[in-house]
């Protein structure tokens, strides 16, 4: 993923408008969400192929303990996040017509 790169997310589970909501079983055919990769609050990861711009989530501390055994383990984990800006939703008009006709 590159900054300002276009993404097409085609596994859409639910679409909605002001008048109705359409749910897929499990996904909606011919529906897609177009998005652009943003770069707000970004942590830069450089690889040999390209540069990924990702934000990091809050720290999650994992603490294990077994009482009376002197067993304590601590691990810290941060989830990587990618910020997207939705530019368009495709298939909401088709799905609305199919739902009312079918």
């Amino acid at each position: 993923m590159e900054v300002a790169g276009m993404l097409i997310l085609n596994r859409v589970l639910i679409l909605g408008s002001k008048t109705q909501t359409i749910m897929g079983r499990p996904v909606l055919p011919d529906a897609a969400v177009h998005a652009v990769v943003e770069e707000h609050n970004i942590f830069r990861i450089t690889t040999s192929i390209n540069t990924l711009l990702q934000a990091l989530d809050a720290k999650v501390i994992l603490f294990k303990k077994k009482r009376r055994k002197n067993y304590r383990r601590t691990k810290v984990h941060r989830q990587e996040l990618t910020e997207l800006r939705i530019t368009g939703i495709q298939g909401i008009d088709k799905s609305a017509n199919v739902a009312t006709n079918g």
Side-chain angles (χ1 to χ4, degrees), residues 4-83:
M6 292 289 296
L7 288 177
I8 298 175
L9 309 169
N10 56 5
R11 296 189 64 203
V12 179
L13 302 177
I14 189 170
L15 280 177
S17 65
K18 292 182 180 180
T19 57
Q20 64 182 358
T21 302
I22 302 138
M23 295 180 63
R25 296 184 191 129
V27 294
L28 289 170
D30 301 328
V33 176
H34 300 275
V36 175
V37 177
E38 287 288 315
E39 55 180 325
H40 297 288
N41 301 324
I42 298 300
F43 177 74
R44 190 174 298 270
I45 301 170
T46 305
T47 62
S48 61
I49 299 171
N50 56 7
T51 301
L52 297 176
L53 296 175
Q54 296 179 337
L56 292 177
D57 198 12
K59 282 187 181 179
V60 177
I61 299 173
L62 306 170
F63 182 72
K64 296 180 181 180
K65 181 181 177 179
K66 294 182 181 177
R67 61 184 200 165
R68 294 188 297 269
K69 305 294 184 199
N70 197 19
Y71 177 84
R72 291 182 293 269
R73 301 291 183 262
T74 304
K75 290 185 180 181
V76 179
H77 173 72
R78 292 188 80 164
Q79 185 69 38
E80 296 176 352
L81 300 175
T82 302
E83 293 184 16

